[in-house]
């Protein structure tokens, strides 16, 4: 499959740099999950306690009585929640399991007088205590949004599990209550009240205790997450940003993605010498770096070692998106990780660019047509744009975005018009209208970040939806034609994922596997613009520079891919904000930006 040739690596995984998870945490996590499932089954299904699995069920809390059923259910849910943390060697998950297992053993001994059950609970505790040194991972960054997510997910799970509990006693149920009655009974039971469903004997107490335990568990976990100390999302400090800018001033011309390391929602680790750095963001347990390390190539190994140490300390999955071939070779050599070709970056050499020739016919005709329609272009450095116009450009960029969240991570700066980014390039398209809109004659925006002293890299493309098609082509051509006057010799355009597979798959003689792979990419392009970005970039006759993803194990690739989609903004797990709140949030950001610029000028 094209785009899947690994870079050579030593294949020697250093224990210091986070090898694959140790066997003990994995086995303990699996045992914890298994016991949790059996606990839930013992607490929910009455026949389970008298089946062939009775011997195994006897070692669990839920065997007899309402109290035992509720305790079994609570213990099972908690053990399932802890299993993932134990697998990732999280210290807090280990502490919770160490506290939970003896409590379960004590409950069995005092309530059921089961020595075997207590012994089995303590048997699972033994490897936790014996191998406590393997559970050292620090907690992940967190915010109080986690509490809301827990309430929604736990609430939905409790509702589904409660419905099973209510329906698991058909022979003791009075009458034939409807689904609505059963759901109502679950909702009442989660809050500790009696619902409309009746049972014979003491089954009502058992069901009520189980539902109450689920509701209490949801409330306790939500309250804990809401009031625990908040660890905010990663961000660059002023000192970190200053150090990174100093490194970019010396070595920024090596990688076109270097300036994107200045995104302020990233964290950074520096080499011991301070001559190199790796910026990253943690998404869904993946420590995601982008591009090559910043700084002196000779100091890269020190920064990479710090990056891997941080990943091991938190039990994060290390990954790098979009590094160059040189960067991939250094990463694989220093860490034993592997690398796969992810796609290609389109780079246009200004000296070789021309609209003449048959290959540029479509672009040439489109640009001339738009110019005849009355559009004009302006290409300037950010520092040369007036504040009033710059604010109008910021507002237009925000409103033309088309999505609730800003997209981009590896090739996006996440801001426009910052005073600290005076070397950035802005290309704008204008057309005078009889009825000007809220942004005057502004119709489209392209923003480029510096690539060393003689290059720029495309950051964002925004346009008014009512403008004529072809605004992006017009502005890219304008930027390339204005580049010599601005001492720019190279321009990096968009990144084209799986470009080689798309290009080779459409050629005569392509094999069935390659054609099938290309067909899948074309299908996915309906949502992710894979083919359209490739074809758009190809219009300008660029040279293609391969980019790679660096990963630890093949099994990590789906998780890394999902984390990358979250970071890039294609998958958003946060709850959507109402439109008036989004507007208020934008106004707050604009005000904060204005205050920051005023302070800079005052200084």
């Amino acid at each position: 499959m094209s785009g899947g040739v690994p870079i050579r690596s030593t294949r020697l995984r250093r224990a210091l740099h986070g090898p694959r998870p140790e066997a003990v945490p994995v086995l303990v996590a699996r045992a914890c999950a298994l016991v949790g499932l059996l606990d839930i089954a013992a607490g929910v299904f009455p026949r389970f306690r008298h089946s062939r699995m009775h011997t195994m069920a006897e070692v669990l809390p839920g065997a007899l009585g309402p109290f035992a059923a509720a305790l079994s259910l609570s213990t099972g849910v908690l053990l399932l929640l802890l299993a993932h943390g134990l697998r990732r060697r999280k210290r807090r998950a280990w502490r919770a399991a160490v506290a939970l297992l003896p409590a379960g053993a004590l409950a069995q001994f005092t309530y059921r007088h089961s020595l075997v059950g207590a012994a089995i609970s303590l048997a699972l505790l033994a490897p936790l205590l014996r191998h406590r040194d393997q559970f050292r991972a620090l907690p992940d960054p967190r915010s109080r949004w986690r509490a809301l997510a827990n309430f929604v997910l736990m609430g939905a799970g409790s509702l589904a599990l409660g419905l099973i509990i209510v329906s698991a006693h058909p022979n003791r149920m009075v009458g034939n209550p409807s689904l609505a009655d059963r759901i109502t009974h679950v909702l009442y039971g989660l809050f500790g009240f009696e619902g409309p469903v009746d049972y014979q004997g003491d089954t009502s107490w058992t069901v009520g205790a189980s539902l109450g335990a689920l509701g209490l568990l949801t409330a306790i976990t939500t309250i804990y997450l809401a009031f625990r100390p908040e660890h905010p999302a990663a961000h660059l400090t002023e000192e970190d940003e200053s150090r990174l800018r100093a490194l970019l001033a010396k070595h920024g011309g090596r990688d076109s993605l270097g300036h994107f390391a200045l995104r302020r929602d990233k964290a950074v680790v520096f080499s011991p010498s301070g001559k190199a750095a790796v910026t990253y963001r943690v998404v869904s347990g993946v420590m995601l770096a982008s591009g090559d390390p910043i700084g002196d190539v000779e100091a890269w190994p020190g920064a990479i070692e710090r990056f891997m140490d941080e990943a091991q300390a938190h039990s994060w999955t290390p990954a790098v998106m979009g590094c160059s071939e040189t960067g991939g070779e250094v990463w694989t050599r220093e860490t034993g990780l592997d690398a796969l070709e992810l796609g290609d970056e389109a780079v246009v050499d200004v000296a070789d660019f021309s609209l003449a020739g048959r290959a540029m016919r479509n672009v040439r005709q489109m640009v001339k047509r738009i110019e005849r329609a009355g559009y004009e272009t302006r290409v300037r450095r950010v520092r040369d744009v007036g504040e009033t116009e710059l604010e109008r450009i910021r507002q237009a960029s925000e409103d033309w975005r088309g999505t609730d969240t800003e997209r981009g991570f590896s090739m996006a700066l996440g801001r426009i018009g910052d005073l600290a980014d005076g070397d950035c390039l802005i290309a704008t398209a204008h057309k005078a209208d009889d009825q000007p809109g809220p942004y005057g004659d502004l119709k489209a925006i392209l923003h480029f970040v510096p690539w060393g002293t003689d290059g720029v890299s495309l950051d964002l493309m925004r346009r008014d939806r009512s403008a004529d098609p072809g605004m992006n082509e017009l502005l890219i051509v304008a930027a390339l034609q204005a580049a010599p006057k601005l001492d720019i010799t190279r321009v990096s355009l968009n990144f084209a994922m799986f470009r080689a597979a798309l290009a080779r798959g459409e050629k005569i003689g392509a094999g069935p596997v390659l054609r099938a792979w290309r067909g899948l990419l074309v299908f996915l392009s309906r949502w992710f613009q894979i083919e359209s970005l490739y074809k758009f970039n190809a219009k300008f006759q660029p040279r293609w520079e391969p980019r790679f993803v660096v990963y630890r194990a093949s099994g990590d690739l789906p998780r890394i891919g999902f984390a990358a989609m979250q970071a890039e903004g294609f998958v958003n797990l946060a709850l959507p904000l109402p439109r008036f709140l989004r507007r208020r949030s934008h106004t707050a950001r604009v005000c904060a930006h204005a205050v920051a610029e005023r302070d800079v000028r005052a200084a």
Side-chain angles (χ1 to χ4, degrees):
M1 180 174 62
S2 178
V5 180
I7 290 181
R8 294 179 182 177
S9 71
T10 60
R11 304 276 183 179
L12 299 177
R13 302 181 181 274
R14 300 180 180 181
L16 179 63
H17 288 161
R20 295 181 180 180
E22 294 87 343
V24 171
V26 173
L27 292 176
V28 169
R30 290 175 179 174
C32 186
L34 178 61
V35 172
L37 289 173
L38 292 173
D39 273 342
I40 293 174
V44 172
F45 301 105
R47 294 183 179 180
F48 177 82
R49 295 189 289 270
H50 305 288
S51 66
R52 295 180 181 178
M53 298 293 291
H54 177 71
T55 303
M56 187 175 295
E58 277 296 319
V59 307
L60 306 172
L64 295 171
F67 173 76
L71 182 61
S72 175
L73 203 60
S74 302
T75 304
V77 172
L78 288 174
L79 288 175
L80 279 179
L81 294 176
L82 292 174
H84 179 64
L86 291 173
R87 183 183 182 88
R88 295 183 60 202
R89 301 181 290 109
K90 292 295 184 180
R91 188 66 175 177
R92 288 188 175 180
W94 178 87
R95 290 172 179 170
V98 167
L100 183 63
L101 289 172
L106 181 63
Q108 290 200 58
F109 180 75
T110 56
Y111 182 74
R112 296 178 51 226
H113 309 290
S114 174
L115 293 175
V116 176
I120 295 298
S121 296
L122 296 177
L124 181 57
L125 178 66
L128 282 173
L129 295 176
R130 180 180 179 183
H131 301 281
R132 59 184 177 276
D133 292 340
Q134 296 193 29
F135 297 89
R136 294 288 186 184
L138 301 175
D140 294 342
R142 57 182 181 258
S143 71
R144 291 191 173 91
W145 282 103
R146 184 77 177 271
L148 179 60
N150 178 83
F151 177 76
V152 173
L153 295 177
M154 283 285 292
S158 297
L159 181 61
L161 191 55
L163 194 58
I164 296 175
I165 293 173
V166 170
S167 305
H169 308 269
N171 296 330
R172 291 181 172 269
M173 190 177 293
V174 177
N176 187 24
S178 64
L179 179 61
D181 288 337
R182 299 184 190 195
I183 294 177
T184 302
H185 192 86
V186 173
L187 293 175
Y188 274 69
L190 292 177
F191 289 94
F193 300 103
E194 190 69 25
V197 180
D198 292 327
Y199 299 89
Q200 299 173 0
D202 61 354
T203 303
S204 292
W205 289 99
T206 302
V207 172
S210 298
L211 294 177
L214 285 175
L216 184 62
L217 196 61
T218 301
I220 290 175
T221 55
T222 301
I223 292 172
Y224 166 73
L225 292 172
F227 289 98
R228 67 178 178 170
E230 183 175 5
H231 288 189
H235 68 280
L236 289 180
T237 65
E238 292 183 3
E239 180 183 357
D240 291 337
E241 186 171 339
S242 297
R243 294 176 67 183
L244 286 173
R245 289 185 183 277
L247 293 177
L248 288 170
K250 295 181 180 179
H251 308 282
R254 208 206 59 78
D255 184 15
S256 63
L257 306 188
H259 198 86
F260 297 120
L262 297 176
R263 282 185 66 105
R264 288 166 184 160
D265 57 359
K266 290 184 177 181
V268 61
V269 289
F270 289 91
S271 65
S273 65
K275 295 181 178 180
V278 175
T279 58
Y280 66 91
R281 187 195 300 172
V282 178
V283 184
S284 297
V286 177
M287 191 176 181
L288 198 63
S290 60
D292 292 344
I294 307 300
D296 188 354
V297 177
E298 297 297 325
W300 283 7
I304 290 173
E305 182 175 355
R306 289 281 178 88
F307 176 89
M308 298 299 290
D309 288 343
E310 190 77 4
Q312 184 189 31
H314 293 82
S315 191
W316 291 330
T317 300
V320 185
M321 298 295 296
C323 66
S324 68
E325 188 167 5
T326 300
E329 289 175 349
V330 176
W331 274 99
T332 55
R333 184 184 69 235
E334 295 297 324
T335 64
L337 301 178
D338 289 326
L340 286 174
E341 185 177 336
L342 185 61
D344 296 89
E345 174 190 8
V347 179
V348 178
D349 294 313
V350 173
D352 298 333
F353 177 76
S354 173
L355 284 177
R358 184 176 181 84
M360 298 297 295
R361 178 182 176 182
N362 291 337
V363 176
R364 182 172 64 249
Q365 291 178 344
M366 179 175 290
V367 169
K368 289 182 177 179
R369 176 180 59 80
I370 296 174
E371 289 176 342
R372 286 195 299 268
Y375 289 88
E376 64 175 23
T377 59
R378 302 170 193 169
V379 182
R380 296 156 289 174
R381 298 283 187 181
V382 167
R383 59 174 174 265
D384 298 325
V385 183
E387 177 55 34
T388 301
E389 183 180 2
L390 198 56
E391 177 54 37
R392 187 164 61 246
I393 290 173
R394 291 193 200 104
Q395 182 69 45
S397 174
E398 177 79 13
D399 290 346
W400 294 344
R401 185 171 60 198
T403 58
D404 291 343
T405 56
E406 187 79 45
R407 285 188 174 179
F409 169 70
S410 57
M411 295 185 70
L413 188 60
R415 61 182 183 269
I416 185 172
D418 195 293
L419 285 181
D421 301 319
D423 288 338
C424 289
L425 200 69
I426 290 182
T428 54
H430 305 263
K431 182 183 180 182
D433 294 327
D434 295 336
Q435 296 180 347
Y439 314 113
D441 61 353
L442 183 64
K443 298 300 179 183
I445 306 164
L446 258 61
H447 187 251
F448 300 82
V449 300
W451 176 9
T453 58
D454 63 345
V456 290
S457 184
L458 182 60
D459 174 24
L460 63 80
M461 301 185 293
R462 301 276 164 80
R463 69 177 182 88
D464 187 345
R465 298 300 176 184
S466 64
D468 293 337
M471 290 291 103
N472 293 330
E473 289 88 341
L474 173 68
L475 289 180
I476 287 179
V477 169
L480 289 169
Q481 291 176 338
K485 297 180 182 179
L486 299 170
D487 297 324
I488 294 173
T489 62
R490 52 187 180 168
V491 177
S492 169
L493 300 180
N494 295 296
F495 172 71
M497 290 185 62
F498 308 113
R499 195 273 316 175
L502 291 169
R504 296 171 188 170
E506 62 184 358
K507 290 184 178 180
I508 296 177
V513 175
L514 189 56
R515 287 184 179 275
W517 174 228
R518 181 183 181 278
L520 176 60
L521 294 177
V522 171
F523 175 75
L524 295 176
S525 296
R526 299 179 182 180
W527 297 278
F528 302 112
Q529 297 182 332
I530 299 173
E531 185 184 30
S532 59
L533 274 179
Y534 157 59
K535 290 186 175 181
F536 177 84
N537 293 334
K539 293 179 181 180
F540 304 96
Q541 304 299 306
R543 56 182 170 88
W544 299 100
E545 297 290 341
R547 291 280 174 173
F548 299 84
V549 55
V550 177
Y551 61 98
R552 181 174 57 189
S554 298
D556 293 334
L557 286 175
R559 185 179 182 187
I560 293 170
F562 184 72
M565 291 173 65
Q566 288 180 261
E568 297 288 350
F570 291 106
V571 175
N572 184 17
L573 300 183
L575 296 176
L577 291 175
R579 186 174 183 82
F580 76 93
L581 288 180
R582 293 201 302 269
R583 176 68 64 179
R584 184 182 300 175
S585 176
H586 169 71
T587 302
R589 288 196 301 270
V590 170
C591 293
H593 180 87
V595 171
E597 289 197 348
R598 183 193 63 193
D599 294 342
V600 170
R601 288 194 178 98

